[in-house]
Amino acid sequence: MGFAVKRVKSLSAAALLAAALCVMIGSSAARAAFLPDVATFTLGNGMQVVVIPDRRQPVVTHMLWYKVGSADETPGKSGLAHFLEHLLFKGTQKNPAGRFSQVVSTIGGQENAFTSNDYTGYYQRVLRENLRQMMEFEADRMTGLVLTDDIVKPELNVVLEEQNQRIANNPGAKLSEQVQAALFLNHPYGRPVIGWRHEIEGLTRDDALAFYRRFYTPNNAVLIVAGDVTVDEVRTLAEETYGKVPRIAEPPARKRPQEPPPIAARTVTFADPRVAQPSLQRDYLVPSNATARKGEAAALDILAHILGSGSNSRLYRSLVIDKGLAVSAGAWYQGSALDDTRFGIYGTPRPNVTLQQVEEGIDAVIAELIEKGITADELDRARTKLIADTVFAQDNQATLARWFGVALMTGSTVDDIRAWPDRVRAVTTDDVQNAARTWLDKRRSVTGYLVRDNGRAEEKRS
């Protein structure tokens, strides 16, 4: 979650800011004040609406999220969710291709769309007086999309070129794709969001329309409006626009094939002549916010922060500063997912240092944390930083809207989001040590090696 603050000009000012923040997030009254005044309601057709008031500027962020992503695709049709995202800009009978984007540009707004494993989203950022117009456009294309082969086939080439640029010509992205495929033996998270190229090439107009009619319906969508609005204003506009869209489908329950218990560490090596700098990445199969037991996901968040977030993290201090083995090292946790997810670790060696040396250094840091645990000071710093991120996120309405959207798409409720800082505060040093001991087991992992191939590219699994 990104956030921005003005640089503090003096050490004393920085210290005062840090002290004030610690006091603020420790006070129950202040905690309530720093959480957004969010309201939610449901339209008659089943569409959920979330309103996040922010009256500082006459601007709104309008986001429409659908509960469908690449993990919901029909086997053999990978890339379909992302392909449909592209096609949704191709117009309806009421608003021909290009008109929606042209209007957004003319009024000085911003727009984009995105697809993930579990969701697809569309958003515009405009002046508050243009909100109704954005709702009208999105409500129209929710069920009114018009597609012909003359529209679909050229856009398929656009998607193939995107796959070529983002994946095929990027050795690091190709390694990540292979690591993820090796980690998820049975779950659809193992296929790339953009799709496997040979399956993208076979997608058709009929595939896109069938997917559209199955999942693009108001009862499978969540509208998030953040900005200079009131709940009553949004309710009225939503009922007059989205409320008129009929339910056209009942999307199936999102029950995906689950992973068998992992019993063997796996490795993937990707060699390519374009690799300028070798690197290592390791993904562990771990629970998400939706699948974890009480307190586990927050403990994994803190573990990722202590282990590998920034220059004060254990991995960075050990591998980069103390031992001089790496130019970078870190860790991350992808907690927002409907099913079990990934905890990642990475490292890039210095010249004349091998990947094996970096891997041994990473393993040593993890082993020490599992054996000795973390300190109370590390825990306090991590909790303060994670909670501060949620405070600062409120300074950007688009960031806040996206934060709520991702959470709601992956099994959380508005109340769950509100309670997240309290869950972080409840984590103990033992919780973090237990999370490391339980989940950072190599048998739960795939380790990927990116190396330079002197002559020919090859991929190897073992």
Side-chain angles (χ1 to χ4, degrees):
M1 181 179 304
F3 64 94
V5 294
K6 293 182 179 179
R7 184 181 299 276
V8 179
K9 295 184 178 179
S10 70
L11 183 60
S12 59
L16 287 171
L17 176 61
L21 183 58
C22 289
V23 171
M24 288 190 296
I25 62 180
S27 160
S28 58
R31 285 196 298 244
F34 279 101
L35 290 176
D37 184 18
V38 178
T40 184
F41 55 88
T42 302
L43 301 180
N45 55 15
M47 181 174 169
Q48 184 182 3
V49 182
V50 178
V51 184
I52 310 173
D54 176 9
R55 311 307 295 271
R56 293 173 297 177
Q57 297 292 335
V59 175
V60 294
T61 298
H62 172 262
M63 284 188 168
L64 186 62
W65 301 70
Y66 291 94
K67 297 177 183 178
V68 59
S70 62
D72 302 296
E73 295 161 343
T74 303
K77 302 289 183 181
S78 66
L80 187 52
H82 174 252
F83 183 36
L84 182 58
E85 174 214 309
H86 276 242
L87 293 175
L88 224 69
F89 289 86
K90 295 306 175 181
T92 66
Q93 184 174 4
K94 182 178 180 181
N95 295 294
R99 183 166 185 265
F100 191 170
S101 295
Q102 183 180 28
V103 168
V104 173
S105 177
T106 299
I107 62 178
Q110 303 167 350
E111 66 164 348
N112 214 325
F114 45 85
T115 304
S116 185
N117 292 306
D118 295 313
Y119 52 82
T120 307
Y122 304 84
Y123 74 87
Q124 302 83 37
R125 183 170 166 83
V126 295
L127 295 176
R128 69 183 309 277
E129 57 262 32
N130 301 123
L131 177 58
R132 175 188 287 274
Q133 195 173 23
M134 298 302 102
M135 289 186 174
E136 290 171 344
F137 274 123
E138 284 289 12
D140 176 42
R141 70 177 177 180
M142 179 177 283
T143 58
L145 183 63
V146 174
L147 296 179
T148 64
D149 284 338
D150 289 341
I151 292 172
V152 170
K153 290 180 179 179
E155 197 61 30
L156 188 62
N157 291 330
V158 172
V159 173
L160 287 167
E161 181 56 27
E162 182 180 347
Q163 192 275 342
N164 193 48
Q165 292 178 357
R166 292 189 176 187
I167 308 296
N169 289 324
N170 184 332
K174 292 189 76 171
L175 175 66
S176 296
E177 188 178 76
Q178 293 296 308
V179 168
Q180 187 166 337
L183 183 68
F184 293 101
L185 300 174
N186 195 45
H187 193 282
Y189 285 167
R191 59 185 179 233
V193 171
I194 200 168
W196 297 114
R197 188 175 184 88
H198 68 285
E199 292 186 348
I200 301 172
E201 291 171 341
L203 297 178
T204 66
R205 169 184 174 272
D206 288 344
D207 292 332
L209 283 174
F211 197 74
Y212 174 66
R213 290 164 181 161
R214 186 181 187 190
F215 292 106
Y216 279 59
T217 177
N219 47 309
N220 199 42
V222 175
L223 171 67
I224 299 180
V225 179
D228 187 16
V229 291
T230 67
V231 176
D232 289 342
E233 287 172 338
V234 174
R235 188 191 302 272
T236 298
L237 292 176
E239 288 175 346
E240 293 173 353
T241 53
Y242 292 109
K244 295 179 179 179
V245 181
R247 300 163 70 117
I248 63 169
E250 296 297 331
R254 305 178 82 184
K255 294 183 178 180
R256 290 84 170 257
Q258 298 300 301
E259 285 299 297
I263 59 174
R266 285 147 282 164
T267 63
V268 174
T269 300
F270 180 69
D272 192 290
R274 295 167 295 183
V275 174
Q277 176 66 62
S279 63
L280 176 150
Q281 70 175 78
R282 181 186 296 161
D283 287 7
Y284 294 87
L285 182 67
V286 301
S288 68
N289 290 325
T291 63
R293 294 190 295 267
K294 183 178 180 180
E296 268 185 340
L300 285 165
D301 262 323
I302 289 178
L303 174 61
H305 185 86
I306 291 172
L307 195 58
S309 179
S311 59
N312 287 324
S313 67
R314 289 199 175 194
L315 284 171
Y316 193 94
R317 289 202 317 267
S318 177
L319 274 67
V320 178
I321 298 174
D322 296 341
K323 296 179 181 178
L325 294 174
V327 295
S328 67
W332 50 269
Y333 169 55
Q334 186 180 334
S336 297
L338 273 177
D339 297 306
D340 283 352
T341 185
R342 297 180 293 158
F343 187 106
I345 292 173
Y346 62 89
T348 303
R350 291 184 183 273
N352 302 318
V353 175
T354 67
L355 289 176
Q356 181 180 359
Q357 289 174 295
V358 172
E359 185 173 11
E360 289 172 351
I362 288 172
D363 289 340
V365 171
I366 294 172
E368 181 181 24
L369 192 151
I370 290 173
E371 179 183 355
K372 299 180 180 179
I374 64 170
T375 67
D377 185 56
E378 283 180 308
L379 177 63
D380 287 342
R381 288 201 308 269
R383 287 192 299 204
T384 298
K385 177 62 167 61
L386 290 172
I387 296 171
D389 285 359
T390 68
V391 175
F392 292 132
Q394 296 174 72
D395 199 42
N396 184 316
Q397 63 179 226
T399 297
L400 196 55
R402 192 172 185 114
W403 176 33
F404 269 80
V406 170
L408 292 170
M409 291 296 103
T410 53
S412 295
T413 65
V414 170
D415 287 340
D416 291 333
I417 300 166
R418 290 180 184 276
W420 185 83
D422 289 328
R423 293 197 297 274
V424 171
R425 293 184 191 94
V427 173
T428 67
T429 56
D430 286 345
D431 292 335
V432 178
Q433 185 178 14
N434 289 336
R437 182 181 296 116
T438 302
W439 303 113
L440 300 192
D441 180 334
K442 269 196 172 180
R443 291 172 296 183
R444 305 189 63 85
S445 75
V446 175
T447 303
Y449 309 105
L450 183 65
V451 299
R452 181 175 177 80
D453 177 27
N454 296 315
R456 62 186 181 87
E458 64 182 29
E459 295 178 51
K460 175 185 176 184
R461 284 191 185 185
S462 60

